[in-house]
Amino acid sequence: MADSALSRRTFLTRSGLLGCSLAASPLITPVSLAAAPWDQRLVVIILRGGMDGLDAIRPYGDVNFAGLRPGLVRRAGQPGQEAEVGLDLDGFFAMHPDLAGVMPLWQQGELAFVQAVSTPYRDRRSHFDGQDLLEAGTMGLGERRDGWLNRLLQLHSGVAARTAFAIGHGDLQLLHGAAPVSDWSPDADLALSPQAERLAGVMMQDDPLFSAALSEALALSRLDAEQVTTGAGSAAQPQGMPGVTPGKAHLKLAEFAAKQLRGDTRIASFSLNGWDTHSQQKRGLGAALKRLSGCILALKQGVGPLIWDKTAIVAMTEFGRTVRENGTGGTDHGTGGAMVLAGGAIRGGRVYGRWPGLEEAALYNRRDLMPTGDVRAVSAWIMRGLTGTGQTDLEQQVFPGLQMGQDPGFLR
């Protein structure tokens, strides 16, 4: 078990290979062809920085909404106010205009949102603490050192390193733990001179594990270099899949995830930055939403229609933001937020969650959207449907202390 958990990042960190940059090194992932314990796919995207769920999914039907955010969102038709409230979803909520790319998914019932949700995190408003709690999946800080996705894997037999991928340069605590997982990071580059390659080979020739890992790292590095140079590898992509676009790191993450999900991988997770919008939120949030939209579309195209029908994407953030716009055209750290769900397995075309209202007395601490749901319960019900994990295990092992409540029916 410990051997199969060896990642390329771990290998390079431990071995201290000569002449390579650890920050840009390819991660060595042992290949396992063990059967996956279930057939559905789950993609978890962590939106780091605290996405403003009230701007992404605008409750324009609430009479208090426009008055709380006069500079961010304006009602269409007001004198001198040309901005629209967004893309209407159901007569009460509207989607931010920069999510327009995924509107067809909403219309096809493959996109949904959950409003007024949060983790149990309250009041301290720290990104670090909020993200730690989000990925630990516990009631309080410091209760567990592993992550909830890893604890899910620990409940199933047949899990191998390639069953789940942590993708990207950042640390993904939600996949930390005893179960084997694989790591991958884009733009990896293992550059060794021929002399250094020979020296590393001699150093590791008596250790089968590290010798094989070195060979795989070098092979992957050469393959990446050839693909960058020649464009090779595109023939293996499904028809219509977008190629990797230089400077579009988020698409590389999604495209790599899709490639793995077409094979043995059942869980992929990565994070997207850029959601901390204290000022000039119109510009910052719009760009972040476009990246999220691009990732979702790249995943759909990348996995192809058969896998897409078995896929659920869950995008979540550490906390929401204040309901009132601040003096610099942004919003500050809040509590209640929103989740984004997508995929052919999602019962979409609806906004889930119990809306608490935006009257001052209904707000959390008279400043934040009151959470009426738990992001862990949303995730638990989706994992219940995808993996068949028992509710008791989800409430006691994966998310200790969680009460899942009644199944909202997020999946088809």
Side-chain angles (χ1 to χ4, degrees):
M1 185 70 73
D3 289 350
S4 62
L6 178 67
S7 70
R8 287 185 276 187
R9 178 183 293 132
T10 303
F11 163 72
L12 290 166
T13 301
R14 290 176 180 170
S15 63
L17 275 175
L18 306 177
C20 65
S21 167
L22 291 179
S25 297
L27 310 177
I28 297 173
T29 304
V31 176
S32 170
L33 300 180
W38 60 84
D39 194 35
Q40 283 71 23
R41 272 68 165 175
L42 172 64
V43 180
V44 178
I45 305 175
I46 302 296
L47 309 177
R48 299 195 186 280
M51 180 184 75
D52 184 2
L54 290 176
D55 206 352
I57 313 303
R58 300 168 171 178
Y60 75 93
D62 190 302
V63 296
N64 297 290
F65 179 63
L68 291 164
R69 298 181 162 217
L72 290 175
V73 182
R74 307 182 185 98
R75 287 185 177 278
Q78 287 182 319
Q81 307 292 335
E82 74 286 357
E84 301 287 345
V85 294
L87 307 169
D88 182 57
L89 297 176
D90 58 5
F92 187 87
F93 291 103
M95 198 161 62
H96 192 287
D98 285 316
L99 282 172
V102 292
M103 191 61 178
L105 300 186
W106 173 269
Q107 294 164 340
Q108 295 160 16
E110 297 177 344
L111 177 70
F113 304 95
V114 191
Q115 264 290 13
V117 289
S118 75
T119 70
Y121 187 62
R122 296 290 185 275
D123 299 330
R124 294 170 66 180
R125 307 180 190 278
S126 159
H127 290 300
F128 301 106
D129 288 348
Q131 290 173 19
D132 282 351
L133 198 64
L134 175 68
E135 299 191 60
T138 54
M139 293 295 296
L141 288 165
E143 296 178 5
R144 297 289 295 256
R145 301 186 66 177
D146 52 3
W148 53 269
L149 267 182
N150 194 282
R151 294 198 293 275
L152 171 74
L153 295 170
Q154 295 173 38
L155 294 172
H156 292 272
S157 60
V159 169
R162 217 171 180 86
T163 301
F165 258 93
I167 303 169
H169 292 296
D171 190 35
L172 278 171
Q173 183 189 345
L174 79 170
L175 270 167
H176 285 185
V181 299
S182 297
D183 296 332
W184 180 85
S185 181
D187 298 326
D189 182 18
L190 177 59
L192 292 181
S193 68
Q195 294 81 3
E197 283 191 28
R198 285 195 293 274
L199 176 59
V202 169
M203 291 171 60
M204 300 175 188
Q205 62 184 356
D206 295 329
D207 188 320
L209 170 64
F210 283 92
S211 180
L214 173 64
S215 298
E216 184 181 355
L218 292 171
L220 287 171
S221 182
R222 292 180 184 120
L223 178 61
D224 288 346
E226 290 172 2
Q227 289 178 344
V228 169
T229 302
T230 66
S234 59
Q237 305 287 350
Q239 189 172 10
M241 176 170 173
V244 173
T245 306
K248 302 289 186 181
H250 61 290
L251 294 182
K252 293 182 181 179
L253 300 177
E255 289 161 8
F256 179 82
K259 179 181 178 181
Q260 304 311 313
L261 293 168
R262 294 201 305 271
D264 297 323
T265 298
R266 297 295 179 266
I267 293 175
S269 183
F270 57 88
S271 61
L272 297 177
N273 297 328
W275 303 90
D276 195 12
T277 51
H278 287 283
S279 63
Q280 300 183 344
Q281 179 165 308
K282 280 189 173 181
R283 184 175 63 186
L285 183 65
L289 290 171
K290 286 181 178 178
R291 288 194 293 272
L292 175 61
S293 176
C295 283
I296 292 172
L297 295 175
L299 283 163
K300 178 173 183 175
Q301 290 181 290
V303 298
L306 294 179
I307 300 299
W308 178 253
D309 285 344
K310 298 183 282 190
T311 297
I313 301 170
V314 180
M316 59 179 69
T317 191
E318 65 262 34
F319 44 62
R321 308 191 74 83
T322 50
V323 299
R324 294 180 180 84
E325 178 183 339
N326 64 27
T328 57
T331 53
D332 299 317
H333 299 178
T335 307
M339 299 174 72
V340 180
L341 311 178
I346 293 293
R347 189 162 65 97
R350 62 197 68 194
V351 179
Y352 294 93
R354 182 169 63 84
W355 182 245
L358 293 176
E359 296 180 4
E360 184 170 341
L363 303 181
Y364 181 78
N365 284 344
R366 295 184 177 270
R367 55 168 279 174
D368 301 340
L369 180 65
M370 179 69 74
T372 60
D374 193 322
V375 297
R376 301 174 304 157
V378 177
S379 305
W381 279 117
I382 289 174
M383 292 192 294
R384 173 90 176 89
L386 294 179
T387 70
T389 307
Q391 185 170 342
T392 300
D393 282 336
L394 289 164
E395 292 179 336
Q396 296 181 2
Q397 303 298 324
V398 179
F399 296 113
L402 173 67
Q403 298 292 320
M404 291 170 62
Q406 192 171 8
D407 184 3
F410 296 120
L411 301 180
R412 296 178 188 276

